[in-house]
Amino acid sequence: MSSEALKRASTLEDVARVAGVSRATVSRVINGVRNVDPAIQEAVRQAIARTGYVPNSAARSLVTRRTGALALVISGSDAPETPDHHVGGEIFADPFFGRVVSGVFTGLRPLDLHPVLMLADSAEARDKALTYLRQGNADGAMVVSTHSRDPLPAQLLAAGIPTVLFGRPPTPLSLSCVDLDNREGGRIAADHLTARGRHRVAAISGPLGVRAARDRLSGFREAMADHGIHQLPHVEGDFTREDGERAMTSLLRRYPDLDGVFAANDLMAQGALAVLADHRRRVPEDIAVIGFDDSSAATAGRPHLTTVRQPVEEMAAEMTRVLLDHLARPGRAATTVLFEPTLIERQSA
């Protein structure tokens, strides 16, 4: 591109010329239309960076009737704080939520779209979020529910607000969602423990009101039964390090000869490791420990955790793509995008 062209404000035509595509194709990429070849999308994004093109958001809003903003709502129940309810700042003590935010930003940044982060962990906060969205301040919502009784997804559906969920809801709703095959993740953990010769095993689950927690435990139990292990001690936790410590303490008191533990997330696995160290139980020599998520907590202590990876960033980015597709094609049917878990082997099992 010539230096003269770079001195003036870049246009769609400049981007199209550098990318080697039509002006219409550039417009489709900028407006988030999904059915554009990924290689062409990347070429357009590089051309935007090279030319310094800045979309005219005001003009685009007049044409598309869109704000260019998408809401990312971390939502829960207005129930009193209990072991199966997250509130306020506690949410972001879990690296899972930071990974969701990172994935959403990654998905939206190249498209000049802006996420609006909203916490809806009480009836009042939920009503404010719903009003904000009904008033058209954002084009749609991506919702991460932290509680099985969360009413917000159904309310958004009833209000006709384009919505995509992170995780399948406990009861069927006609909303698109992005999820992990959590049952398969539990099976992977069981297969790995038995392959390491561990047969006196226990599980630390998440809150069983949450579908992901139930599925992880069910998959673990099913695979253990396939290996001939039908008695499986289990303690329910709340995905926190403190609950991992509490659960591991209880399990050791009742089953001192355990040789393997599956924790339904890495924070609880870290809590279990701390208790095992206090009891002078070697990991993995005496007890093998497997976590779930492959979050930053997996490598925050010693030994580093063997864990079932949940590709949260990629799932969150996919959540943005599904929502943009709904906006580009109003009336499209709800869909579920299911990601596959993988085992990340480290030192603990």
Side-chain angles (χ1 to χ4, degrees):
M1 193 172 183
S2 68
S3 59
E4 290 77 9
L6 288 171
K7 290 177 182 177
R8 58 176 171 78
S10 297
T11 65
L12 279 179
E13 287 77 9
D14 295 328
V15 176
R17 186 162 50 253
V18 171
V21 299
S22 69
R23 184 185 187 280
T25 296
V26 173
S27 179
R28 289 167 67 206
V29 172
I30 289 173
N31 285 305
V33 177
R34 195 180 182 198
N35 59 338
V36 179
D37 183 272
I40 294 176
Q41 292 185 42
E42 182 60 26
V44 170
R45 289 171 186 144
Q46 290 182 6
I48 289 172
R50 183 177 171 190
T51 61
Y53 173 72
V54 178
N56 186 326
S57 298
R60 185 171 67 187
S61 294
L62 288 173
V63 174
T64 64
R65 297 186 180 274
R66 295 188 194 168
T67 65
L70 298 176
L72 173 59
V73 187
I74 311 297
S75 179
S77 167
D78 55 344
E81 185 176 344
T82 66
D84 61 349
H85 177 55
H86 297 274
V87 291
E90 292 179 359
I91 285 175
F92 294 102
D94 187 335
F96 168 83
F97 294 100
R99 295 175 67 194
V100 171
V101 173
S102 175
V104 167
F105 270 80
T106 298
L108 295 182
R109 187 182 297 114
L111 303 175
D112 192 42
L113 297 171
H114 308 288
V116 178
L117 180 61
M118 308 182 76
L119 296 181
D121 56 4
S122 68
E124 181 182 5
R126 186 168 59 250
D127 288 344
K128 287 181 179 179
L130 196 57
T131 299
Y132 180 89
L133 291 163
R134 280 174 170 159
Q135 291 175 343
N137 293 299
D139 300 320
M142 297 164 284
V143 179
V144 183
S145 286
T146 65
H147 200 284
S148 62
R149 296 190 298 272
D150 181 14
L152 185 61
Q155 292 173 330
L156 293 170
L157 176 62
I161 296 167
T163 300
V164 178
L165 307 179
F166 193 109
R168 286 165 288 182
T171 57
L173 290 173
S174 185
L175 291 173
S176 289
C177 61
V178 175
D179 204 355
L180 185 78
D181 189 343
N182 285 290
R183 189 177 294 265
E184 177 62 19
R187 295 188 66 90
I188 288 172
D191 290 344
H192 186 71
L193 284 175
T194 55
R196 294 294 182 271
R198 309 307 167 105
H199 302 289
R200 299 184 303 279
V201 299
I204 303 173
S205 80
L208 296 180
V210 175
R211 176 170 180 163
R214 290 198 308 273
D215 286 351
R216 290 173 195 179
L217 181 61
S218 295
F220 187 70
R221 280 177 164 161
E222 290 166 1
M224 279 297 176
D226 290 343
H227 292 291
I229 302 170
H230 300 280
Q231 297 300 319
L232 187 71
H234 152 245
V235 176
E236 184 176 353
D238 189 32
F239 293 133
T240 67
R241 179 187 172 99
E242 292 74 19
D243 270 9
E245 293 175 355
R246 176 185 60 81
M248 192 70 251
T249 299
S250 173
L251 287 168
L252 283 179
R253 183 172 61 250
R254 291 184 290 152
Y255 308 99
D257 62 342
L258 288 176
D259 63 6
V261 174
F262 168 52
N265 80 336
D266 293 336
L267 281 178
M268 292 195 298
Q270 282 291 352
L273 288 178
V275 170
L276 291 171
D278 288 344
H279 284 75
R280 300 186 183 280
R281 302 295 291 274
R282 298 171 302 162
V283 177
E285 293 85 354
D286 299 328
I287 299 185
V289 178
I290 296 183
F292 203 108
D293 281 340
D294 192 31
S295 67
S296 58
T299 56
R302 294 290 185 274
H304 289 177
L305 277 171
T306 291
T307 184
V308 178
R309 176 168 172 75
Q310 177 173 209
V312 174
E313 294 85 354
E314 293 91 333
M315 294 167 68
E318 180 64 18
M319 187 167 57
T320 69
R321 288 190 285 271
V322 172
L323 181 55
L324 291 172
D325 197 24
H326 276 290
L327 294 173
R329 297 192 292 155
R332 62 157 283 185
T335 186
T336 297
V337 181
L338 200 61
F339 282 72
E340 291 298 320
T342 54
L343 184 73
I344 305 298
E345 292 190 51
R346 295 194 179 95
Q347 301 160 353
S348 69

